[in-house]
């Protein structure tokens, strides 16, 4: 039976085997802006070959962007937001010592469409947009670029153009609740 390796033991082994990579990653500071080229787009995130720093011994890039950190907008497939070979810039979040990679955020350097929407929209305001998704408890309607809201308990189809009224904007949970519109 093989003994389990603790995260600290794994990190020590990786740091010993790849001192240049460890030195590079441990020298990064949260908030630092890094650039590179998308090396691979997977269903769980994006690998990035960083402009500075060594290659990764296992992964296609030393930078990694998790799905939620790629974009503020909803995408069904990460290739809708980034493509292999594309040049990108991201904010360094942390040194992932288990995988020896730089965790990055692309969306940290992008304006947040939800907050911009919330700044100019009020409860009771009427909006128009297409139904983007049907769920058992209602539908989602695109009410601004990168912003969708829920209309509960209605029977509509994806693609239907509808009028809706804003009933609640929850900045903390990043949610908009809508009601069927007047017209």
């Amino acid at each position: 039976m093989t003994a389990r390796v603790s995260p600290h033991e794994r990190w020590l082994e990786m740091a010993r085997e790849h001192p240049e990579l460890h030195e590079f990653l441990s020298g990064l500071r949260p908030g630092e802006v890094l650039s590179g080229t998308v090396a691979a787009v997977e269903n769980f995130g994006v690998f990035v070959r960083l402009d500075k720093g060594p290659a990764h011994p296992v992964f296609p890039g030393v930078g990694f962007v998790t799905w939620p950190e790629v974009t503020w907008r909803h995408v069904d497939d990460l290739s809708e937001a980034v493509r292999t070979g594309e040049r990108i810039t991201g904010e360094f979040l942390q040194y992932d010592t288990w995988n020896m990679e730089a965790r990055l955020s692309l969306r940290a350097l992008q304006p947040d469409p939800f907050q911009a929407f919330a700044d100019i929209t009020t409860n009771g305001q009427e909006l128009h947009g297409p139904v983007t998704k049907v769920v058992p408890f209602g539908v989602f309607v695109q009410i601004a670029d990168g912003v969708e809201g829920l209309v509960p308990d209605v029977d509509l189809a994806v693609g239907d153009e509808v009028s809706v009224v804003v009933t609640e904007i929850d900045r903390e949970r990043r949610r908009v609740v809508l009601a069927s519109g007047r017209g």
Side-chain angles (χ1 to χ4, degrees), residues 6-7 12 19 32 45 59 75-76 88 103 141-142 161-162 164 181 183:
S6 75
L12 285 174
E32 188 174 341
F59 303 131
V75 292
D76 292 322
I88 59 158
R103 289 290 171 99
V141 176
Q142 182 178 345
E161 287 287 330
V162 295
V164 293

Side-chain angles (χ1 to χ4, degrees), residues 19-101:
E20 184 183 359
L21 178 58
H22 168 65
E23 184 178 335
F24 169 72
L25 292 169
S26 61
L28 297 173
R29 298 291 168 250
E32 188 174 341
V33 175
L34 302 172
S35 294
T37 303
V38 174
V41 179
E42 303 291 343
N43 62 359
F44 51 87
V46 177
F47 289 100
V48 182
R49 267 190 220 96
L50 296 175
D51 291 343
K52 59 181 188 174
H56 195 281
V58 177
F59 303 131
V62 105
F64 185 75
V65 187
T66 61
W67 187 299
E69 293 298 330
V70 172
T71 181
W72 288 107
R73 288 167 171 70
H74 171 78
V75 292
D76 292 322
D77 186 322
L78 285 177
S79 64
E80 295 173 35
V82 292
R83 302 216 184 287
T84 302
E86 180 180 346
R87 298 278 307 149
I88 59 158
T89 301
E91 181 178 301
F92 175 69
L93 300 176
Q94 69 181 36
Y95 171 4
D96 176 343
T97 57
W98 183 260
N99 293 310
M100 288 201 73
E101 60 193 15

Side-chain angles (χ1 to χ4, degrees), residues 64-180:
F64 185 75
V65 187
T66 61
W67 187 299
E69 293 298 330
V70 172
T71 181
W72 288 107
R73 288 167 171 70
H74 171 78
V75 292
D76 292 322
D77 186 322
L78 285 177
S79 64
E80 295 173 35
V82 292
R83 302 216 184 287
T84 302
E86 180 180 346
R87 298 278 307 149
I88 59 158
T89 301
E91 181 178 301
F92 175 69
L93 300 176
Q94 69 181 36
Y95 171 4
D96 176 343
T97 57
W98 183 260
N99 293 310
M100 288 201 73
E101 60 193 15
R103 289 290 171 99
L104 306 173
S105 173
L106 303 184
R107 77 178 194 169
L109 301 179
Q110 303 167 357
D112 180 351
F114 184 88
Q115 297 305 329
F117 170 83
D119 287 344
I120 62 169
T121 306
T122 59
N123 286 346
Q125 188 170 343
E126 188 167 354
L127 303 168
H128 305 275
V131 172
T132 58
K133 186 175 187 181
V134 176
V135 293
F137 46 86
V139 299
F140 285 92
V141 176
Q142 182 178 345
I143 48 179
D145 185 28
V147 181
E148 294 179 344
L150 173 67
V151 184
D153 304 319
V154 293
D155 186 23
L156 296 166
V158 171
D160 287 352
E161 287 287 330
V162 295
S163 293
V164 293
V165 175
V166 176
T167 61
E168 179 186 352
I169 300 173
D170 184 338
R171 284 180 182 264
E172 188 175 312
R173 292 171 48 200
R174 301 179 55 80
R175 294 185 181 165
V176 180
V177 179
L178 306 167
S180 292

